[in-house]
Amino acid sequence: MTDRAVEEAITRAHREEWARVVGRLARRFGDLDIAEEATAEAFVAAVERWPRDGVPPNPGGWLVTTATRKAIDRIRRESQRDARHQAARMLSDDTPPDPTGPVQDDRLRLVFTCCHPALGVQARVALTLRLLGGLTVAEIAHAYLVRESTIAQRITRAKAKISAAHIPYRVPSADDIRERLAGVLAVVFLVFNEGYLASGGDDPVRVDLTDEAIRLGRLLRTLLPDDGEVTGLLALMLLIDARRRARLSRTGELVTLDEQDRGAWDRALLAEGHALVRERIAAVAAGGEPAGRYQLLAAINAVHTAAPSARDTEWSQIVALYDRLAMLDPAPIVRLNRAVAVAEVDGPSVALAEVDRLTAALDGYHAFHATRADLLRRLGRSGESRAAYDRAIALAGNPAERTYLTRRRDQLAG
Amino acid sequence: MLQAFADTGAFNDKLEREGHLVFAGGLAPATTATTVDGRGGTPVFTDGPYLETKEYLGGFWIIEAPDLDQALALAAEGSRACRGTVEVRPFQTEESFQDLLTT
């Protein structure tokens, strides 16, 4: 086997097996630190041994066995130093054989442990990326533009709380899933959004984060295929990510949806996203639960991406979907996005009146001022439009977005 | 208020029935508190609670629960019964104490 093939096998195993191995060991040893460190050691062993001995026929099984041995070695070493470790208890594997069914999956336990409501949101994100995604502390720190020590501290504190407060590592019940899935999906979407429109720094898009979020979305769908919102979130991320290549110009400027080269969209991702949206529409039509937030957002993106050109967009459908979304979630940002669609159906002055009603809630948000600026421009009110662009530029953290807004401002007449 | 007392009493009975209850007690108002600092040569007695906050501890439950999820579920019921916010904290165990000393 070539070095390159072995390298690819290790990369694939890291992507596909990391969370499973960590989850399996966490279940057996009841300790996230041991689980994680032993898994990392098993991958180090794979890097050393697979090029020499060849890739084992069942890489996942090999990794679990190796990681388990490493964990036991570690517990033995520590138990000699420290009597409080009841090594004997951990050295015999009395866990039941792998139960069947998706909800029994070790990775699902891991998701629900990482996203436990008793942990702060930032800790949930860091822990999910570390334990499920296998991202290093340095990678997470880079993605979120904070110091490595900050991320390391968040992860350490979260693990300490899990252990000291007795956050259980158990298969979520149907009730848990109902109550906590929203939090889990929010974490995944947070990771995706941070990757898609980075809130600061020099990189406008962080592909590592969007890829990771989609991977977590796919994992959740494998585990909970019948949950509409899980499918909706995956569809939403795929439909947004499909447009990534068209979203930045060669000069690093943000290209808005109406100006994007639709030929540069990723056809495969769009087809997959549309199929998932159709699946949900059929399920709801067959008497399933009404569509939730992510399904509605996915449907909106499906309407956008189904149009052959920006002019052909069925804006009235988009307004109708935003109306349903606003009933579920009357947040000012939802109303702002709805107003953008209203501008296309009823004209910019109707939309501007709606947007102006949101001033108190959204005055500190760059997209609010960018939307106002655009509507004012279309109404020929250049002076007010320029002032709104200035506010938007001052508030935007993303470099590509700032460049775009600056150009639009400078193009204003007068 | 009377209803809150009655509901809290019923919740305490449930805790006892289900084997969770170790001990429960209400505290007299914070205005009755005296703070004692015996760290110096002569102990200092100060009128009032240790922390001057808007919220104060009105009482506590000490319960046995297998894990945080169960404790949180019970705390939610207790909170509903007594019409107050409940903070959940594990007791220190020998293991957590060891960790405190070694790190």
Side-chain angles (χ1 to χ4, degrees), chain A residues 168-187:
Chain A
Y169 182 70
R170 64 182 168 85
V171 175
S173 68
D175 280 351
D176 290 335
I177 290 178
R178 207 176 38 246
E179 284 166 17
R180 293 195 198 154
L181 190 59
V184 172
L185 297 179
V187 163

Side-chain angles (χ1 to χ4, degrees), chain A residues 275-299:
Chain A
L276 293 175
V277 171
R278 280 196 301 274
E279 179 190 309
R280 288 314 308 158
I281 291 171
V284 172
E289 272 189 47
R293 177 164 176 261
Y294 296 113
Q295 291 169 79
L296 290 171
L297 286 170

Side-chain angles (χ1 to χ4, degrees), chain A residues 78 85 194 210 221 326 354 393:
Chain A
E78 288 187 0
H85 274 103
E194 186 56 30
T210 51
R221 180 165 151 85
E354 297 235 337
I393 293 161

Side-chain angles (χ1 to χ4, degrees), chain A residues 129-150:
Chain A
L129 289 175
R130 180 78 197 102
L131 293 181
L132 273 126
L135 264 58
T136 63
V137 167
E139 283 167 333
I140 303 170
H142 171 75
Y144 283 92
L145 301 170
V146 293
R147 285 200 313 270
E148 267 185 54
S149 58
T150 309

Side-chain angles (χ1 to χ4, degrees), chain B residues 3-100:
Chain B
Q3 192 56 46
F5 284 139
D7 289 352
T8 306
F11 175 65
N12 286 339
D13 291 344
K14 174 201 146 111
L15 286 178
E16 192 166 9
R17 245 188 350 266
E18 292 179 0
H20 292 295
L21 188 71
V22 178
F23 182 72
L27 294 172
T31 48
T32 65
T34 308
T35 301
V36 181
D37 188 348
R39 289 173 297 182
T42 340
V44 179
F45 301 96
T46 318
D47 175 35
Y50 176 57
L51 288 175
E52 290 287 356
T53 58
K54 223 166 70 187
E55 322 285 340
Y56 65 89
L57 201 62
F60 52 86
W61 284 283
I62 295 170
I63 60 160
E64 294 262 18
D67 59 41
L68 184 68
D69 284 354
Q70 168 114 64
L72 292 179
L74 289 169
E77 257 183 79
S79 162
R80 205 177 313 119
C82 75
R83 276 82 165 158
T85 308
V86 175
E87 176 181 323
V88 176
R89 263 204 233 179
F91 259 93
Q92 219 167 38
T93 59
E94 196 183 336
E95 203 178 47
S96 65
F97 190 63
Q98 287 286 346
D99 284 342
L100 208 67

